[in-house]
Amino acid sequence: MSLAFARLRRLIGSLAGISLDADKLYFAQSRLEPIMRAHDCRDLAALMRLIETREDEALLQRVVDAMTNNETSFFRDRVPFERLRQEWLPDLMTRRAETRRLRIWSAACSTGQEPYSIAMALAESEPDLEDWKVEITATDISESALEIARRGVYSQFEAQRGLSTARLLRYLEPHRGQWRVSDALRARVVFRRVNLLDQFRDVGPCDVIFCRNVLMYFEPEVRREVLTRLFGVLAEDGVLILGAAETMEFDERFAPSTSGDCRILRRRLAPRRRSVNGV
């Protein structure tokens, strides 16, 4: 392994928690090539020297953006959105009948298809939610991904990927040869930059957290730390949804289950104490 690549691996790990495999040199070079070209860096070693000798937050952000996997689609894996609309949402609405308020967090939202899918699922639950205050917060570490998400403009392929024709025509509108998410739907989602390695107490408490297919890229210790912080902002009766492939050790606080293409975590309730009379 080259020294420059080893330094890059440490940098990406410290900035974004991403565990970059030792055999990913070619992948890293191809992802970073536009940045190297823009800064007249002949190779990865030159780019790392530039990063390490110049305090340039914008450059660091571009490197993180380049190394972040933004693979996503509307209603990806389908099952979580069906269960949100048919099961978790009705249950939470019963529990929140007095406050009539729900908070949903799409963590690592990439270019926005997941939170917009959540907003569509909620829209299809109306009129039950007409007089409710529902907050959908969507976050990502990548500023470039968030810019796309806020615009809500997608190519024909991106728009059709995961959306039925009925949903496409209901929630998106033609826009300069592409498709744009309607103003009404975009108004339901607030996008913010959040690094999952940082503290994010101001995001919670959340009734539902989608954090899918991101922890799998972290080192085991980082995964445990992030999971603990997610657990800390999850409501007592809330639902945390991970990707089905995200296998990890869960402690006694969680009651994990798998459904389709997602892993569901709920707080494990303490057993009821029996009185001295056995009642």
Side-chain angles (χ1 to χ4, degrees):
M1 183 193 308
S2 72
L3 179 59
F5 184 52
R7 284 149 54 199
L8 174 68
R9 294 179 71 208
R10 288 194 297 270
L11 176 70
I12 295 301
S14 65
L15 291 177
I18 297 172
S19 176
L20 192 60
D21 292 343
D23 61 352
K24 295 293 186 180
L25 173 60
Y26 176 77
F27 166 82
Q29 288 176 325
S30 62
R31 284 291 188 95
L32 295 172
E33 183 179 358
I35 299 175
M36 291 190 288
R37 192 164 54 246
H39 290 274
D40 294 323
C41 296
R42 58 187 292 181
D43 53 24
L44 185 58
L47 178 62
M48 291 307 301
R49 284 195 298 272
L50 180 65
I51 291 171
E52 293 163 353
T53 58
R54 203 167 94 185
E55 294 185 7
D56 190 335
E57 290 296 325
L59 175 58
L60 285 176
Q61 182 64 59
R62 286 195 294 273
V63 170
V64 170
D65 287 356
M67 298 305 299
T68 302
N69 182 3
N70 290 321
E71 171 63 21
T72 188
S73 63
F74 288 103
F75 289 93
R76 184 180 182 183
D77 302 327
R78 189 174 52 80
V79 171
F81 305 98
E82 291 182 354
R83 293 198 64 181
L84 173 67
R85 186 168 56 87
Q86 298 172 6
E87 180 183 338
W88 301 325
L89 186 60
D91 178 57
L92 287 166
M93 289 177 68
T94 299
R95 296 171 182 269
R96 307 289 188 272
E98 290 189 12
T99 62
R100 306 184 82 76
R101 179 176 182 177
L102 292 170
R103 302 184 71 179
I104 301 174
W105 179 18
S106 170
C109 71
S110 186
T111 47
Q113 287 93 322
E114 179 176 88
Y116 287 134
S117 298
I118 293 170
M120 292 178 198
L122 297 185
E124 291 164 6
S125 299
E126 293 174 349
D128 292 339
L129 286 168
E130 275 188 350
D131 58 347
W132 283 65
K133 180 176 178 59
V134 181
E135 302 173 35
I136 304 174
T137 300
T139 67
D140 201 88
I141 191 175
S142 171
E143 284 288 2
S144 60
L146 288 171
E147 287 178 11
I148 295 171
R150 291 187 184 103
R151 288 198 305 269
V153 177
Y154 302 100
S155 67
Q156 182 77 25
F157 172 76
E158 292 169 325
Q160 288 184 315
R161 191 180 177 199
L163 287 181
S164 65
T165 301
R167 278 177 169 156
L168 176 65
L169 297 177
R170 179 178 177 184
Y171 298 113
L172 282 74
E173 55 196 25
H175 177 75
R176 300 177 181 176
Q178 296 182 301
W179 291 87
R180 182 174 62 186
V181 176
S182 69
D183 292 344
L185 200 71
R186 280 188 290 122
R188 293 173 181 243
V189 184
V190 175
F191 290 97
R192 296 169 47 192
R193 183 181 182 276
V194 170
N195 185 340
L196 292 177
L197 298 191
D198 299 334
Q199 298 299 322
F200 40 74
R201 296 188 186 93
D202 58 336
V203 175
C206 299
D207 301 298
V208 180
I209 300 176
F210 283 73
C211 187
R212 302 188 299 150
N213 306 312
V214 59
L215 297 184
M216 60 196 293
Y217 295 107
F218 293 173
E219 293 285 357
E221 183 58 35
V222 176
R223 283 202 300 265
R224 286 191 289 270
E225 292 174 0
V226 173
L227 195 60
T228 295
R229 291 201 296 275
L230 289 171
F231 183 75
V233 299
L234 184 68
E236 288 284 341
D237 53 356
V239 183
L240 171 59
I241 303 105
L242 306 178
E246 293 176 303
T247 56
M248 59 191 76
E249 293 293 327
F250 299 110
D251 62 35
E252 66 280 357
R253 295 171 300 172
F254 296 102
S257 63
T258 302
S259 176
D261 292 321
C262 67
R263 176 155 294 199
I264 303 152
L265 298 183
R266 306 198 78 153
R267 196 181 297 268
R268 193 185 298 277
L269 299 178
R272 291 182 58 185
R273 290 186 177 181
R274 297 177 64 88
S275 70
V276 293
N277 296 322
V279 179

